[in-house]
Amino acid sequence: MGRSKNEKLFAAEFEVVARAEAAAAAPKHGDNPLLNEYRGLLNEYKKLLRQSRKVFYISDSQGYLVKKHQTELQTLLDNANQGFLTFGGDLLVNRQYSAECARIFGQNIAGLPITGLLSQGDTLQETRLQEQWQRFFTASREEAAECLPLPARFRVGECDVLIECKMIESPEEDKSSLLVMMILTDVSAQTKAAEQIHFLSYHDSLTALHNRAYVDMLLPAIRQENNLPLSLILADMNGLKLVNDVFGHLQGDALLCQMAAVLRQIGRPDDILVRWGGDEFLLILPRTGPEECLELCEQIHRRCADVKGEVMPLSAALGTATQTESRREFNALFALAESQMYKDKLLNSRAFRQLALKNFQTILNGVCCEKTEHVQRAAELAVQFAEHLDKNLTDVDRRVLQRLAELHDIGKVSTLPTLLGKTDTLMPDEWNTVQKHSESGYRLVQSIGEPEIAELILSLHEHWNGTGYPYRLKGEAIPYFSRLFAIVDAYDVMTHDQPYRQALSPQQALKEIRDARGSQFDPNLAERFCDFGCSWHKNNRG
């Protein structure tokens, strides 16, 4: 603790006394009786100064300790994450309050009426609070505790605040000395968390539609007579698993959200939209007959068809059911809708697969140069080379090779367009991404019901010496048609311009294939293709 103002004054006084004593002791004064009396007064004054200095020192120490205590208490209150303030019968906030109060109310609140601060401009609430506190402050000491308001919540700006009050009594009977300490706790975070928990209890977190728990809770109300006729539409999305497997779950989630958006568009105020689970959605339609239910199904199909820009066409198999009397159980009604949905899925599954495949090929044509022409050339060349190798080639084998040519690059739809059209050398991580198209193509073609073609696509980039991908198959472990088509595909790519290189002449391309015998390509097939290629090119120039 530094020297106080009082201590500095006493030091100056003692210095004055010391100079007076020195002057009185000078030899020139002799035995002057008045001087002796003066010396006595100086001694008495010095004693008085010492006593006074002790008194003031004690006072300064106590004042310092009181101030330190007040500072520590204020610091404690300011860091308690709660607001503390006091007010008396005038309902005006006292000068001392914690920092949290200033944050909650967003201003300096000393001298402001507590009723106005809490009511936030609501005059009716402010009047009610004034009456409540007037009853408290006018009540007797015995009754005041019973009049003290109970804990309550107030909305203060953006904060949800819990208010608690404590009565502070002084020993005097004077009511004017009665104070109220108000404790304010910002419970906004807890309130928001509780609301979020409640929301997630009855809603799907991805689409924000209601979930099955909500239907279970609402089931008694749904089955009331005034909701009849009651209809259900069960929608099962097409192709979600394929999108998740080939393009990733983020794309799958985007497709689910698109379906939810479509259902919201056709939903009416009293309808209940539910994500039933996975790729299934349920529409509960009160006071809706079968004709109106079928019209809503048509709207769903039309709006799904209008959605563009997704990797997979937005589509769903739909099943409906209607009940006209409340005796039927909801589970039985749902089972009927589910049965109809499965029938619809089986009936339209082939058409959907073809639509999805067409969509993938359209996407691929947009990012790969000469894709359509390349497919046609590769299919023709593969069939002719296979016939050159086997004069008794069957029609089934011809169709397999043609289909392989159509679908061999389909897995590239899952590859970034920037990589497919890149003219520079691919970085290692970029090359790893591109290599995954074999597996993506396999899963995609499997999903459209062509497992034989899927197996051939998976092996197209395997090398004869076992250095290819994705599984490093070697030699004749690689399917025959995969080995054959790999040569044909490479030849057509090399003899036509690509983003990363100019076309080679047929002779240069055949030399590249001959040089890769026994490493990349089947040595026997590569040699025979080179013999075949020379004559084929003469008959099929361009």
Side-chain angles (χ1 to χ4, degrees):
M1 182 174 67
R3 296 177 68 189
S4 68
K5 183 178 180 181
N6 290 330
E7 189 175 354
K8 292 177 181 178
L9 290 173
F10 278 111
E13 283 296 312
F14 275 112
E15 187 177 348
V16 170
V17 171
R19 286 200 297 268
E21 286 179 328
K28 62 181 180 178
H29 296 299
D31 292 330
N32 189 332
L34 291 176
L35 188 59
N36 291 332
E37 187 176 349
Y38 175 69
R39 291 192 184 102
L41 289 173
L42 283 176
N43 288 331
E44 292 299 324
Y45 182 60
K46 188 187 293 187
K47 291 178 182 178
L48 179 61
L49 284 177
R50 290 195 183 99
Q51 293 296 324
S52 299
R53 185 170 63 176
K54 290 180 180 179
V55 171
F56 277 99
Y57 177 78
I58 293 171
S59 176
D60 285 344
S61 299
Q62 289 176 338
Y64 169 77
L65 291 174
V66 168
K67 186 176 181 180
K68 182 181 177 182
H69 176 71
Q70 289 176 334
T71 302
E72 290 174 348
L73 181 59
Q74 187 69 38
T75 301
L76 181 63
L77 294 178
D78 286 345
N79 289 277
N81 292 326
Q82 284 185 303
F84 296 91
L85 60 85
T86 59
F87 60 89
D90 59 3
L91 304 185
L92 301 179
V93 177
N94 290 327
R95 186 171 60 85
Q96 295 293 332
Y97 55 85
S98 67
E100 180 71 356
C101 292
R103 187 194 69 80
I104 290 173
F105 292 108
Q107 60 180 316
N108 182 349
I109 60 173
L112 297 180
I114 188 62
T115 53
L117 290 170
L118 294 178
S119 62
Q120 296 282 290
D122 186 336
T123 55
L124 289 177
Q125 187 178 52
E126 184 171 8
T127 301
R128 187 174 69 252
L129 289 173
Q130 287 173 346
E131 293 173 351
Q132 190 176 39
W133 285 114
Q134 284 173 0
R135 285 196 300 272
F136 170 78
F137 282 107
T138 57
S140 65
R141 287 295 179 92
E142 293 75 17
E143 297 172 344
E146 297 179 4
C147 297
L148 193 67
L150 296 174
R153 290 195 180 199
F154 289 84
R155 191 68 184 175
V156 179
E158 298 299 320
C159 300
D160 189 22
V161 182
L162 177 64
I163 304 293
E164 297 180 81
C165 297
K166 305 290 184 183
M167 185 170 64
I168 303 176
E169 294 187 80
S170 63
E172 298 85 5
E173 292 296 325
D174 183 9
K175 288 186 178 180
S176 63
S177 64
L178 188 64
L179 290 177
V180 170
M181 181 175 70
M182 184 173 284
I183 306 168
L184 302 89
T185 306
D186 185 355
V187 293
S188 303
Q190 296 92 316
T191 301
K192 186 176 181 180
E195 290 172 352
Q196 184 73 2
I197 291 171
H198 183 269
F199 179 85
L200 293 177
S201 297
Y202 296 109
H203 291 80
D204 171 53
S205 59
L206 176 64
T207 64
L209 297 181
H210 292 299
N211 59 16
R212 293 179 68 167
Y214 181 79
V215 175
D216 293 339
M217 179 192 70
L218 213 62
L219 203 54
I222 293 172
R223 299 183 65 245
Q224 290 180 1
E225 294 282 347
N226 61 349
N227 284 327
L228 297 177
L230 177 68
S231 292
L232 302 182
I233 298 177
L234 183 61
D236 186 285
M237 284 183 60
N238 292 317
L240 180 63
K241 184 179 185 303
L242 174 60
V243 172
N244 286 336
D245 289 345
V246 175
F247 300 96
H249 284 269
L250 287 179
Q251 289 283 5
D253 289 348
L255 208 64
L256 285 166
C257 290
Q258 281 283 16
M259 180 58 71
V262 165
L263 297 181
R264 285 193 185 93
Q265 290 168 8
I266 66 103
R268 303 160 304 178
D270 291 338
D271 296 341
I272 302 170
L273 310 180
V274 184
R275 184 180 176 194
W276 196 248
D279 53 5
E280 289 186 344
F281 296 84
L282 178 66
L283 285 81
I284 302 175
L285 312 169
R287 298 175 295 282
T288 303
E291 296 81 7
E292 192 175 2
C293 186
L294 291 175
E295 172 57 30
L296 289 173
C297 288
E298 289 299 321
Q299 289 186 40
I300 293 173
H301 287 312
R302 287 197 297 270
R303 290 185 180 274
C304 283
D306 290 340
V307 175
K308 306 298 182 185
E310 295 295 336
V311 294
M312 175 79 75
L314 190 62
S315 169
L318 303 179
T320 66
T322 302
Q323 72 174 40
T324 55
E325 54 185 24
S326 58
R327 285 180 295 178
R328 171 177 275 178
E329 289 295 326
F330 181 84
N331 288 342
L333 187 67
F334 178 86
L336 180 59
E338 187 176 41
S339 175
Q340 295 297 321
M341 180 271 292
Y342 283 126
K343 288 180 181 178
D344 183 51
K345 202 170 190 70
L346 289 173
L347 183 63
N348 296 298
S349 59
R350 182 174 179 81
F352 171 75
R353 290 198 297 267
Q354 294 304 316
L355 179 64
L357 186 58
K358 182 179 178 181
N359 188 68
F360 292 147
Q361 289 172 329
T362 300
I363 294 173
L364 203 55
N365 290 340
V367 296
C368 290
C369 298
E370 298 187 70
K371 175 61 184 172
T372 303
E373 293 80 1
H374 169 62
V375 166
Q376 293 171 348
R377 292 191 304 264
E380 181 181 354
L381 182 58
V383 170
Q384 291 188 24
F385 179 45
E387 289 174 341
H388 172 77
L389 296 173
D390 183 3
K391 301 300 182 184
N392 297 317
L393 190 70
T394 66
D395 290 340
V396 172
D397 287 341
R398 289 187 182 89
R399 285 196 294 271
V400 168
L401 285 170
Q402 289 170 344
R403 195 62 171 156
L404 177 59
E406 292 173 8
L407 300 176
H408 73 283
D409 272 342
I410 200 69
K412 289 181 178 178
V413 294
S414 65
T415 305
L416 291 174
T418 52
L419 296 183
L420 296 179
K422 189 172 181 180
T423 57
D424 300 332
T425 303
L426 294 176
M427 302 298 290
D429 59 330
E430 294 175 331
W431 179 237
N432 289 336
T433 300
V434 171
Q435 286 183 334
K436 292 178 182 178
H437 77 86
S438 294
E439 296 167 275
S440 296
Y442 169 80
R443 290 192 294 268
L444 197 156
V445 176
Q446 276 274 18
S447 72
I448 63 174
E450 301 196 42
E452 182 181 2
I453 305 300
E455 291 290 343
L456 296 176
I457 289 173
L458 186 63
S459 303
L460 273 179
H461 295 279
E462 301 288 2
H463 291 174
W464 181 261
N465 63 1
T467 61
Y469 63 87
Y471 297 123
R472 296 185 177 275
L473 299 182
K474 186 176 182 179
E476 294 188 358
I478 305 169
Y480 175 74
F481 277 163
S482 294
R483 286 180 273 146
L484 184 152
F485 189 80
I487 297 171
V488 170
D489 183 45
Y491 176 81
D492 188 77
V493 168
M494 285 190 288
T495 53
H496 292 84
D497 288 336
Q498 305 299 327
Y500 51 87
R501 66 182 291 180
Q502 291 183 333
L504 302 179
S505 69
Q507 293 75 20
Q508 289 173 318
L510 291 174
K511 182 180 183 304
E512 293 268 352
I513 290 173
R514 183 174 281 109
D515 290 344
R517 290 174 302 173
S519 55
Q520 181 175 351
F521 301 124
D522 180 327
N524 178 53
L525 288 178
E527 185 64 42
R528 297 192 65 177
F529 180 80
C530 290
D531 295 338
F532 162 79
C534 294
S535 59
W536 181 87
H537 183 69
K538 292 178 182 178
N539 299 324
N540 298 273
R541 291 189 180 277

